[in-house]
Amino acid sequence: MEISLSKRLSKIAPSPTLALTAKVKALKAKGEDIVGFAAGEPDFDTPEPIKEACIQALREGFTKYTATGGIPELKEAVCNWIMEKRGLKYSPSQALVCCGAKHALYNLFQALLEEGDEVLIPAPYWVTYKDQVAIAGGVPVIVPTDIASGFVPDPEALKEACSPKTRAIVLNSPSNPSGVALSRRQLEAIAGVVVEKNLLVVSDEIYAEIVYDGFRQESIASLGLELYERTFVVDGVSKTFAMTGFRIGYIMGDPKVIKAMNMIQDQSTSNPTSIAQKAALKALTLKEDVVSPMVRKFHDRRDLMLAGMKRIEGVRCFKPAGAFYLFPDMRFLLGRKTPKGVSLETSAVLAEALLEEAKLAAVPGEAFGMPGFLRFSYATGEEEIQKGMDRLYEFCSSLRM
Ligand SMILES: *Cc1c(COP(=O)(O)O)cnc(C)c1O
């Protein structure tokens, strides 16, 4: 029997990063010694007090449905956190707790988009935006950036990409995959286009606390009332507190839209997991600072990986101010041949050859709308980073023209 799938599905694709992570896991399970730079999550264990709060909630029988959009204490904690970290004032009626930031984005596009509405997505982008816009009936409009301008979206290019159907722009700073973090001045330039073209802003700030060298990520929502009213701030505990598996994210913005998203959530997932909410509440209200030690480690790993990149002649890679990825330009390798005779025509082929021949996993730029690049995650131990960078060096040295 041939079962047909909905036509909507033809517009989306499986997540290439998750697919690669699964392949690496399978190879490792077979006993292969793979160095994994493909992961999109912190390798740290969730801090102990957060785990304890979850266990306690379980013991206390906090195992029933909660309010769909999150327990009131968590909504309040989320508002306080964003006030403290980014100086943004929201009331609980402007906040919704979801099953991860990914889910918050999904609900938002479902709530906002009409069939054919266009959404600007600067490339390189986190792949999910494009598919979520498409499945909501929208049209993702990719606006390329380049490494020469530090992957910062060019206001003129954004303006030119607008049509009467453009509803929103997605911003992700610090960025996955590039690690680029937008300064206030750069945000102001983008904000100019947003106001002129009457756009909404989807501001994915999931890496805002993972920043280095004194950089402080500001939210575009903090650039005045006009921006505040058009912006949806998306964040979560996954990256900041090494809690990816708990699936708690949140979104803040216009109360009418938040209410609509709550309704979508009512009719789909209902509340995020009760005990995970308690864990997130603990994370956001901890007196002790569990984040800085992780950020310091990420910082040292970034520098270690960057030093490894610098050893390889031809690599162009700048020092990212946030997140935990390097996104080097590998185009200089294209066209060369591996010892096994594979011709490296694209970065996708390069990533495959790296995995097969050098036992090193990295995600090809194709996954982020920027072919020719590779994403290396440094959310892994220093020894692994050293080993992986040695492998990359040897692999690059072994290639023939
Ligand atoms: C990891 C990630 C998310 C999703 O996080 P969850 O809260 O775990 O769903 C969202 N945006 C970006 C850019 C990410 O890298």
Side-chain angles (χ1 to χ4, degrees):
M1 184 181 159
E2 178 72 27
I3 301 177
S4 64
L5 298 172
S6 85
K7 282 205 183 64
R8 284 190 315 284
L9 278 190
S10 66
K11 290 191 261 175
I12 69 169
S15 160
T17 44
L18 291 184
L20 192 72
T21 314
K23 188 170 178 188
V24 171
K25 273 193 185 145
L27 285 171
K28 278 187 173 166
K30 278 202 317 194
E32 293 231 27
D33 169 34
I34 307 284
V35 175
F37 289 159
E41 62 182 337
D43 58 316
F44 302 119
D45 195 10
T46 305
E48 211 52 46
I50 299 172
K51 288 204 246 178
E52 276 306 322
C54 191
I55 294 165
Q56 196 187 334
L58 193 54
R59 291 235 164 84
E60 286 170 0
F62 194 71
T63 54
K64 303 291 197 284
Y65 292 135
T66 73
T68 291
I71 53 177
E73 311 91 283
L74 181 54
K75 277 195 181 180
E76 208 166 292
V78 152
C79 293
N80 291 341
W81 175 267
I82 289 291
M83 179 68 210
E84 184 195 324
K85 299 294 176 187
R86 265 152 269 165
L88 293 168
K89 190 167 165 50
Y90 291 105
S91 69
S93 66
Q94 294 169 286
L96 184 75
V97 180
C98 308
C99 312
K102 193 182 248 186
H103 184 218
L105 289 161
Y106 183 88
N107 286 343
L108 179 63
F109 292 129
Q110 291 293 331
L112 286 181
L113 298 181
E114 287 297 351
E115 199 68 34
D117 278 353
E118 294 175 7
V119 177
L120 304 184
I121 303 175
Y125 49 72
W126 186 52
V127 62
T128 298
Y129 305 133
K130 169 166 91 34
D131 292 307
Q132 288 193 345
V133 166
I135 205 166
V139 179
V141 175
I142 308 304
V143 186
T145 66
D146 58 45
I147 188 168
S149 43
F151 299 120
V152 175
D154 170 30
E156 285 308 312
L158 292 176
K159 231 183 270 180
E160 266 170 42
C162 285
S163 83
K165 291 196 152 178
T166 313
R167 274 304 294 292
I169 177 171
V170 179
L171 292 180
N172 174 213
S173 180
S175 148
N176 174 5
S178 73
V180 166
L182 300 174
S183 68
R184 186 177 181 94
R185 189 139 29 97
Q186 288 160 341
L187 288 171
E188 278 168 351
I190 296 168
V193 181
V194 166
V195 174
E196 183 187 328
K197 296 291 185 182
N198 195 22
L199 306 179
L200 300 171
V201 184
V202 181
S203 183
D204 180 348
E205 304 179 8
I206 194 112
Y207 293 102
E209 302 308 316
I210 305 177
V211 288
Y212 314 113
D213 310 320
F215 180 85
R216 191 159 171 274
Q217 182 63 61
E218 290 184 72
S219 175
I220 192 166
S222 68
L223 301 180
L225 186 62
E226 226 174 346
L227 271 300
Y228 176 83
E229 285 181 338
R230 314 167 168 271
T231 300
F232 294 89
V233 171
V234 177
D235 203 337
V237 294
S238 283
K239 309 291 162 61
T240 311
F241 296 99
M243 290 176 70
T244 44
F246 283 83
R247 311 308 306 128
I248 298 289
Y250 48 89
I251 180 164
M252 287 156 179
D254 181 90
K256 186 178 103 197
V257 178
I258 293 291
K259 200 167 160 201
M261 290 175 64
N262 191 101
M263 184 176 68
I264 294 168
Q265 204 157 294
D266 260 337
Q267 307 297 13
S268 49
T269 57
S270 294
N271 62 277
T273 304
S274 59
I275 57 175
Q277 290 189 62
K278 286 286 191 176
L281 174 62
K282 186 71 180 182
L284 295 169
T285 54
L286 267 178
K287 294 278 176 292
E288 146 200 19
D289 175 10
V290 293
V291 180
S292 314
M294 294 194 269
V295 172
R296 272 198 296 278
K297 283 216 177 92
F298 279 138
H299 168 274
D300 295 347
R301 293 158 168 199
R302 177 199 65 172
D303 287 355
L304 184 66
M305 190 177 259
L306 209 49
M309 286 295 170
K310 293 242 160 83
R311 272 176 71 206
I312 303 165
E313 213 177 315
V315 169
R316 266 178 97 194
C317 183
F318 67 89
K319 194 178 196 169
F324 38 71
Y325 312 99
L326 295 188
F327 197 58
D329 186 347
M330 306 302 277
R331 285 176 290 189
F332 71 105
L333 291 181
L334 301 185
R336 297 189 189 173
K337 272 203 171 61
T338 71
K340 285 196 179 160
V342 176
S343 181
L344 302 177
E345 295 308 331
T346 63
S347 46
V349 175
L350 168 62
E352 249 173 70
L354 262 179
L355 187 57
E356 294 292 326
E357 298 187 34
K359 308 289 176 217
L360 179 62
V363 185
E366 280 86 345
F368 313 102
M370 183 121 318
F373 291 68
L374 289 180
R375 189 193 75 177
F376 291 83
S377 159
Y378 48 88
T380 187
E382 300 204 351
E383 240 169 78
E384 282 292 287
I385 292 174
Q386 196 61 59
K387 188 159 126 187
M389 294 317 287
D390 288 345
R391 286 183 185 184
L392 181 66
Y393 180 83
E394 274 156 36
F395 177 81
C396 291
S397 312
S398 74
L399 300 176
R400 290 172 290 125
M401 291 294 187

